[in-house]
PDB file of all heavy atoms in Angstrom:
ATOM      1  N   LEU B 140      -9.430   8.547  27.113  1.00 57.00           N
ATOM      2  CA  LEU B 140     -10.606   8.126  26.324  1.00 57.00           C
ATOM      3  C   LEU B 140     -11.857   8.150  27.187  1.00 57.00           C
ATOM      4  O   LEU B 140     -11.853   7.688  28.323  1.00 57.00           O
ATOM      5  CB  LEU B 140     -10.383   6.714  25.794  1.00 57.00           C
ATOM      6  CG  LEU B 140     -11.207   6.334  24.594  1.00 57.00           C
ATOM      7  CD1 LEU B 140     -10.665   7.028  23.361  1.00 57.00           C
ATOM      8  CD2 LEU B 140     -11.145   4.825  24.394  1.00 57.00           C
ATOM      9  N   ARG B 141     -12.930   8.726  26.629  1.00 61.00           N
ATOM     10  CA  ARG B 141     -14.173   8.781  27.388  1.00 61.00           C
ATOM     11  C   ARG B 141     -15.060   7.630  26.968  1.00 61.00           C
ATOM     12  O   ARG B 141     -14.927   7.098  25.873  1.00 61.00           O
ATOM     13  CB  ARG B 141     -14.904  10.089  27.077  1.00 61.00           C
ATOM     14  CG  ARG B 141     -14.139  11.320  27.502  1.00 61.00           C
ATOM     15  CD  ARG B 141     -15.030  12.519  27.254  1.00 61.00           C
ATOM     16  NE  ARG B 141     -15.350  12.695  25.862  1.00 61.00           N
ATOM     17  CZ  ARG B 141     -14.607  13.393  25.018  1.00 61.00           C
ATOM     18  NH1 ARG B 141     -13.540  13.995  25.444  1.00 61.00           N
ATOM     19  NH2 ARG B 141     -14.948  13.488  23.752  1.00 61.00           N
ATOM     20  N   ALA B 142     -15.972   7.297  27.877  1.00 64.00           N
ATOM     21  CA  ALA B 142     -17.009   6.366  27.475  1.00 64.00           C
ATOM     22  C   ALA B 142     -17.851   7.033  26.401  1.00 64.00           C
ATOM     23  O   ALA B 142     -17.961   8.265  26.416  1.00 64.00           O
ATOM     24  CB  ALA B 142     -17.852   6.000  28.675  1.00 64.00           C
ATOM     25  N   PRO B 143     -18.436   6.248  25.451  1.00 66.00           N
ATOM     26  CA  PRO B 143     -19.160   6.874  24.329  1.00 66.00           C
ATOM     27  C   PRO B 143     -20.278   7.814  24.810  1.00 66.00           C
ATOM     28  O   PRO B 143     -20.640   8.745  24.113  1.00 66.00           O
ATOM     29  CB  PRO B 143     -19.713   5.709  23.558  1.00 66.00           C
ATOM     30  CG  PRO B 143     -19.147   4.486  24.115  1.00 66.00           C
ATOM     31  CD  PRO B 143     -18.464   4.810  25.403  1.00 66.00           C
ATOM     32  N   GLN B 144     -20.853   7.519  25.965  1.00 71.00           N
ATOM     33  CA  GLN B 144     -21.990   8.348  26.421  1.00 71.00           C
ATOM     34  C   GLN B 144     -21.554   9.613  27.136  1.00 71.00           C
ATOM     35  O   GLN B 144     -22.375  10.445  27.485  1.00 71.00           O
ATOM     36  CB  GLN B 144     -22.945   7.525  27.295  1.00 71.00           C
ATOM     37  CG  GLN B 144     -22.380   7.088  28.631  1.00 71.00           C
ATOM     38  CD  GLN B 144     -21.623   5.745  28.522  1.00 71.00           C
ATOM     39  OE1 GLN B 144     -21.259   5.322  27.432  1.00 71.00           O
ATOM     40  NE2 GLN B 144     -21.438   5.076  29.638  1.00 71.00           N
ATOM     41  N   ASP B 145     -20.253   9.757  27.400  1.00 77.00           N
ATOM     42  CA  ASP B 145     -19.760  10.933  28.143  1.00 77.00           C
ATOM     43  C   ASP B 145     -19.354  12.054  27.169  1.00 77.00           C
ATOM     44  O   ASP B 145     -18.763  11.805  26.125  1.00 77.00           O
ATOM     45  CB  ASP B 145     -18.535  10.565  28.979  1.00 77.00           C
ATOM     46  CG  ASP B 145     -18.909   9.618  30.114  1.00 77.00           C
ATOM     47  OD1 ASP B 145     -20.122   9.509  30.377  1.00 77.00           O
ATOM     48  OD2 ASP B 145     -18.013   9.002  30.701  1.00 77.00           O
ATOM     49  N   ILE B 146     -19.667  13.292  27.565  1.00 83.00           N
ATOM     50  CA  ILE B 146     -19.305  14.457  26.772  1.00 83.00           C
ATOM     51  C   ILE B 146     -18.524  15.424  27.658  1.00 83.00           C
ATOM     52  O   ILE B 146     -18.970  15.735  28.767  1.00 83.00           O
ATOM     53  CB  ILE B 146     -20.556  15.162  26.206  1.00 83.00           C
ATOM     54  CG1 ILE B 146     -21.290  14.255  25.200  1.00 83.00           C
ATOM     55  CG2 ILE B 146     -20.186  16.492  25.541  1.00 83.00           C
ATOM     56  CD1 ILE B 146     -22.628  14.798  24.750  1.00 83.00           C
ATOM     57  N   THR B 147     -17.373  15.850  27.168  1.00 82.00           N
ATOM     58  CA  THR B 147     -16.588  16.849  27.938  1.00 82.00           C
ATOM     59  C   THR B 147     -16.452  18.089  27.052  1.00 82.00           C
ATOM     60  O   THR B 147     -15.936  18.027  25.950  1.00 82.00           O
ATOM     61  CB  THR B 147     -15.183  16.289  28.264  1.00 82.00           C
ATOM     62  OG1 THR B 147     -15.326  15.040  28.874  1.00 82.00           O
ATOM     63  CG2 THR B 147     -14.439  17.239  29.198  1.00 82.00           C
ATOM     64  N   LEU B 148     -16.918  19.206  27.596  1.00 85.00           N
ATOM     65  CA  LEU B 148     -16.899  20.439  26.818  1.00 85.00           C
ATOM     66  C   LEU B 148     -16.574  21.614  27.748  1.00 85.00           C
ATOM     67  O   LEU B 148     -17.026  21.603  28.904  1.00 85.00           O
ATOM     68  CB  LEU B 148     -18.277  20.648  26.164  1.00 85.00           C
ATOM     69  CG  LEU B 148     -18.367  21.507  24.919  1.00 85.00           C
ATOM     70  CD1 LEU B 148     -17.583  20.871  23.774  1.00 85.00           C
ATOM     71  CD2 LEU B 148     -19.802  21.684  24.492  1.00 85.00           C
ATOM     72  N   SER B 149     -15.856  22.578  27.255  1.00 89.00           N
ATOM     73  CA  SER B 149     -15.541  23.738  28.114  1.00 89.00           C
ATOM     74  C   SER B 149     -16.816  24.541  28.388  1.00 89.00           C
ATOM     75  O   SER B 149     -17.767  24.509  27.590  1.00 89.00           O
ATOM     76  CB  SER B 149     -14.516  24.650  27.409  1.00 89.00           C
ATOM     77  OG  SER B 149     -15.115  25.312  26.317  1.00 89.00           O
ATOM     78  N   LYS B 150     -16.830  25.261  29.507  1.00 91.00           N
ATOM     79  CA  LYS B 150     -18.011  26.050  29.863  1.00 91.00           C
ATOM     80  C   LYS B 150     -18.324  27.080  28.777  1.00 91.00           C
ATOM     81  O   LYS B 150     -19.469  27.351  28.441  1.00 91.00           O
ATOM     82  CB  LYS B 150     -17.739  26.821  31.196  1.00 91.00           C
ATOM     83  CG  LYS B 150     -18.073  25.964  32.415  1.00 91.00           C
ATOM     84  CD  LYS B 150     -17.631  26.639  33.668  1.00 91.00           C
ATOM     85  CE  LYS B 150     -18.609  27.695  34.117  1.00 91.00           C
ATOM     86  NZ  LYS B 150     -18.240  28.283  35.434  1.00 91.00           N
ATOM     87  N   LYS B 151     -17.238  27.631  28.206  1.00 93.00           N
ATOM     88  CA  LYS B 151     -17.406  28.672  27.167  1.00 93.00           C
ATOM     89  C   LYS B 151     -18.177  28.114  25.957  1.00 93.00           C
ATOM     90  O   LYS B 151     -19.106  28.723  25.483  1.00 93.00           O
ATOM     91  CB  LYS B 151     -15.996  29.143  26.744  1.00 93.00           C
ATOM     92  CG  LYS B 151     -15.996  30.264  25.743  1.00 93.00           C
ATOM     93  CD  LYS B 151     -14.558  30.591  25.372  1.00 93.00           C
ATOM     94  CE  LYS B 151     -14.485  31.569  24.220  1.00 93.00           C
ATOM     95  NZ  LYS B 151     -13.101  31.783  23.778  1.00 93.00           N
ATOM     96  N   LEU B 152     -17.793  26.935  25.526  1.00 93.00           N
ATOM     97  CA  LEU B 152     -18.450  26.354  24.339  1.00 93.00           C
ATOM     98  C   LEU B 152     -19.852  25.889  24.672  1.00 93.00           C
ATOM     99  O   LEU B 152     -20.783  26.025  23.850  1.00 93.00           O
ATOM    100  CB  LEU B 152     -17.604  25.209  23.784  1.00 93.00           C
ATOM    101  CG  LEU B 152     -16.365  25.615  23.026  1.00 93.00           C
ATOM    102  CD1 LEU B 152     -15.489  24.424  22.708  1.00 93.00           C
ATOM    103  CD2 LEU B 152     -16.718  26.363  21.730  1.00 93.00           C
TER     104      LEU B 152
END
Side-chain angles (χ1 to χ4, degrees):
Chain B
L140 202 73
R141 296 185 298 270
Q144 66 271 20
D145 293 345
I146 294 172
T147 308
L148 204 64
S149 72
K150 274 173 80 174
K151 183 182 171 186
L152 286 170

